[in-house]
Amino acid sequence: MNNQIGKNELFANENRLTYTKKIDSSKALVAVARYIFQNRPYDFTDENDVFSQILNNPDAQKINQIIDSKMNFGGLKLSYLKKYAEEHSLELQLGNEFRKDFLSSNLHIFNSNNEAISFDKSEFINHTDYVQNNVFAQIKYNKKVKNWSYGFTILNQMIHSDLNQNKQNGFYVSPLANIGYQNRKIGNFNLNAGRKFSTVSINDVYTNYIYQGNRNFKQSNVNFAVLQDCNLGFSYNVGEQMSQYLNFNINFFKSGDYLSNNMIVNPNYTFNQTILVKNNSNLSASLELRKYLKPIRSRLSILSSYMQSGYENSVNNQPLIKTKFINWKAAFEMKSGWTKFINYECGYEWAFNTISSKVNSNKYIDQKGFLNLYFTINSQFRIESLVEYYKFGNTAQKTTQFWDIKANYTLKKYNMSIFIQGNNLLNSNSIQRYSINNISESLYTQRLLPRHIVLGINKNF
């Protein structure tokens, strides 16, 4: 049992200055300057016996994790826009972005009487300075000719990084292209492909452990890295959304390098190490069918999606484990369009999850549904009844139901409304979620607010 007490603060200041100069009816210059400062101190205390086992000292009963995190960002971007015709344009951008992150952390251990316990904390102290400067130039071009449209974007970046005095420089080109066709009878399609580069964040590069609560520690074995991603996508739709409509999307995503983890697992605690792994792919697709059912004046939607991802990670410094995860969803929704005093919405979704690797294979099903009723008594008085149902995983865990009711009365003369709302009327005390990865199965229980009534006023000025 963990007794956790945390103090998390955030101070943020953002300033933005924009200047626009219209050269003529088809050309313009836009300059944008931006500055952001964030300061986020964090102080967290957890009462458990984790360090009594790590240090082999039974007196170690409390963990105090202190983090100081600051970020400064400054950027300047100059854009030139040229509009040749209604759907024919060119945009040129030139700019510079500077970002400086600082993260320090320290960890203290106490006994049950709040007396400090000395130990070698070299693996639990961080002082990380991370500076990035990105000089970029970008060109965007879009044109439409009759039913055809096409465009491309080319982003050129010169990235300089300084991670604790370890400096690196690199030049990167990120192209993106798309082509589309629109036809009211046969439908609309769009094909796009691109490549982009992104850098790791301050949370990916600190080298010693930070305690994150729930008996979990995290650190990184990754230095500064630029991650390359490539994507290919296709979309097609036809019909009118309010009567009869079909929409289909498919996307393929591939990473040259990506962030994964090495989990050092102990029955009572876990050390999570961020590592850099090569070659990850993801395939996703979705299908939506809509049909207006005239006899019952309702719209029926059939929804489906598919996602397959492959990744690699490690356990206890062993060789990488290849894992494939598949998620397939099937759902329906119905929504009425009645002109009388009652309308409804309802739907149900099944999510079939499969995970397979050399060390573990498993399947589970998540389900959720809803039924909403709307009663319009008159132009001023409206009642809403919202019911939700959840069941996560296919284990013998309990289902969860929610029922909320809201009555709203509008006083048009005073531009205000009065409402009374009953939340969690079935008095569900918790909701359970089930998840699987290639090394563990987890069942999370989240406590809920008990049944309660809210009375309020909304006023428009």
Side-chain angles (χ1 to χ4, degrees):
M1 186 69 179
N2 294 7
N3 183 16
Q4 302 175 348
I5 301 174
K7 182 181 179 182
N8 191 358
E9 299 177 351
L10 171 64
F11 172 79
N13 179 33
E14 180 172 353
N15 299 277
R16 183 187 181 100
L17 179 64
T18 302
Y19 172 78
T20 302
K21 172 67 174 178
K22 187 175 182 180
I23 301 174
D24 57 33
S25 60
S26 64
K27 305 185 192 73
L29 285 173
V30 180
V32 179
R34 189 181 181 195
Y35 173 74
I36 303 174
F37 172 74
Q38 291 183 354
N39 181 20
R40 190 161 198 167
Y42 184 63
D43 193 326
F44 176 80
T45 301
D46 195 351
E47 187 173 349
N48 60 44
D49 61 350
V50 168
F51 266 88
S52 67
Q53 301 169 55
I54 296 175
L55 303 178
N56 195 25
N57 183 345
D59 292 333
Q61 295 296 319
K62 293 182 180 181
I63 305 170
N64 176 228
Q65 177 69 68
I66 300 174
I67 301 173
D68 182 20
S69 177
K70 294 182 176 69
M71 186 273 288
N72 282 277
F73 172 88
L76 178 64
K77 180 173 69 175
L78 180 65
S79 302
Y80 169 78
L81 298 91
K82 167 68 174 177
K83 189 173 184 180
Y84 298 96
E86 184 63 28
E87 296 184 84
H88 183 193
S89 64
L90 171 70
E91 181 179 353
L92 303 176
Q93 293 183 355
L94 182 66
N96 185 78
E97 294 177 340
F98 175 85
R99 175 167 177 157
K100 182 177 182 179
D101 289 274
F102 170 75
L103 185 147
S104 68
S105 70
N106 202 346
L107 188 140
H108 305 279
I109 304 299
F110 300 91
N111 62 20
S112 57
N113 295 321
N114 293 321
E115 297 171 337
I117 294 177
S118 61
F119 68 104
D120 180 9
K121 57 172 69 177
S122 59
E123 293 186 346
F124 301 94
I125 295 178
N126 286 281
H127 293 285
T128 305
D129 283 294
Y130 184 27
V131 176
Q132 294 182 76
N133 193 79
N134 175 23
V135 180
F136 64 90
Q138 181 172 266
I139 177 172
K140 292 182 180 181
Y141 181 79
N142 291 285
K143 187 175 182 179
K144 184 176 182 180
V145 180
K146 294 183 179 180
N147 293 346
W148 289 90
S149 63
Y150 54 90
F152 66 86
T153 301
I154 300 176
L155 173 63
N156 301 283
Q157 296 172 283
M158 177 67 73
I159 299 177
H160 167 78
S161 70
D162 184 346
L163 177 59
N164 291 335
Q165 303 301 314
N166 181 17
K167 300 179 181 180
Q168 294 187 37
N169 295 283
F171 179 74
Y172 308 93
V173 180
S174 303
L176 173 67
N178 65 81
I179 182 170
Y181 179 80
Q182 293 181 332
N183 186 286
R184 188 170 183 178
K185 291 184 178 180
I186 66 174
N188 312 314
F189 77 81
N190 184 272
L191 179 67
N192 64 82
R195 179 183 68 176
K196 69 174 183 177
F197 294 89
S198 59
T199 58
V200 293
S201 72
I202 185 71
N203 294 319
D204 302 317
V205 295
Y206 57 81
T207 56
N208 290 319
Y209 287 106
I210 291 179
Y211 182 63
Q212 297 187 311
N214 298 318
R215 300 172 178 264
N216 184 50
F217 298 82
K218 184 181 178 182
Q219 61 99 218
S220 176
N221 291 329
V222 176
N223 292 316
F224 174 79
V226 178
L227 310 178
Q228 174 184 287
D229 300 319
C230 299
N231 68 282
L232 177 66
F234 174 79
S235 65
Y236 173 78
N237 64 77
V238 63
E240 297 290 338
Q241 292 197 29
M242 298 305 296
S243 57
Q244 187 169 280
Y245 179 72
L246 179 148
N247 184 48
F248 173 74
N249 292 275
I250 185 168
N251 293 279
F252 177 75
F253 182 88
K254 186 174 180 63
S255 300
D257 296 310
Y258 67 100
L259 299 177
S260 185
N261 57 71
N262 171 46
M263 302 288 289
I264 300 176
V265 181
N266 182 283
N268 297 303
Y269 54 85
T270 301
F271 288 98
N272 186 345
Q273 300 174 340
T274 302
I275 59 175
L276 196 63
V277 180
K278 293 186 177 295
N279 298 325
N280 175 44
S281 61
N282 184 299
L283 176 67
S284 63
S286 65
L287 176 66
E288 178 183 6
L289 300 171
R290 293 184 180 180
K291 175 69 175 178
Y292 181 72
L293 306 176
K294 193 173 181 179
I296 59 174
R297 296 181 181 178
S298 299
R299 187 184 68 196
L300 172 65
S301 299
I302 304 298
L303 309 170
S304 180
S305 67
Y306 176 86
M307 190 272 287
Q308 176 181 310
S309 64
Y311 62 92
E312 293 182 302
N313 62 355
S314 176
V315 180
N316 294 335
N317 295 316
Q318 296 299 307
L320 292 172
I321 303 170
K322 292 184 177 181
T323 301
K324 181 170 73 173
F325 177 76
I326 296 175
N327 171 272
W328 177 65
K329 294 181 180 179
F332 76 89
E333 293 181 2
M334 290 191 70
K335 183 177 182 179
S336 67
W338 301 337
T339 57
K340 297 182 179 180
F341 80 100
I342 184 172
N343 275 285
Y344 75 91
E345 289 179 324
C346 67
Y348 204 88
E349 179 186 276
W350 296 264
F352 303 89
N353 304 280
T354 303
I355 186 168
S356 58
S357 68
K358 292 182 179 180
V359 299
N360 182 315
S361 295
N362 213 326
K363 299 179 180 180
Y364 64 99
I365 302 173
D366 293 334
Q367 302 175 56
K368 62 180 180 181
F370 67 93
L371 172 61
N372 302 333
L373 298 176
Y374 306 97
F375 302 90
T376 304
I377 309 303
N378 53 47
S379 61
Q380 294 178 286
F381 188 37
R382 176 180 171 90
I383 299 175
E384 300 177 2
S385 172
L386 311 177
V387 177
E388 297 175 272
Y389 168 88
Y390 296 93
K391 185 178 189 302
F392 295 94
N394 56 359
T395 58
Q397 58 185 284
K398 68 175 185 177
T399 61
T400 304
Q401 300 84 29
F402 298 101
W403 183 25
D404 300 337
I405 290 182
K406 181 179 181 180
N408 190 87
Y409 185 79
T410 302
L411 300 169
K412 296 182 179 179
K413 182 179 178 180
Y414 301 100
N415 291 325
M416 63 182 295
S417 62
I418 302 172
F419 69 88
I420 182 170
Q421 182 171 329
N423 294 326
N424 194 12
L425 297 181
L426 299 179
N427 208 29
S428 299
N429 56 18
S430 64
I431 185 170
Q432 293 183 325
R433 293 179 175 87
Y434 181 71
S435 67
I436 295 178
N437 58 36
N438 59 359
I439 62 172
S440 66
E441 300 181 24
S442 301
L443 178 63
Y444 301 93
T445 300
Q446 180 180 352
R447 293 181 180 178
L448 302 173
L449 290 174
R451 182 191 299 118
H452 60 281
I453 305 296
V454 178
L455 179 65
I457 298 176
N458 292 321
K459 172 66 176 176
N460 296 323
F461 296 94

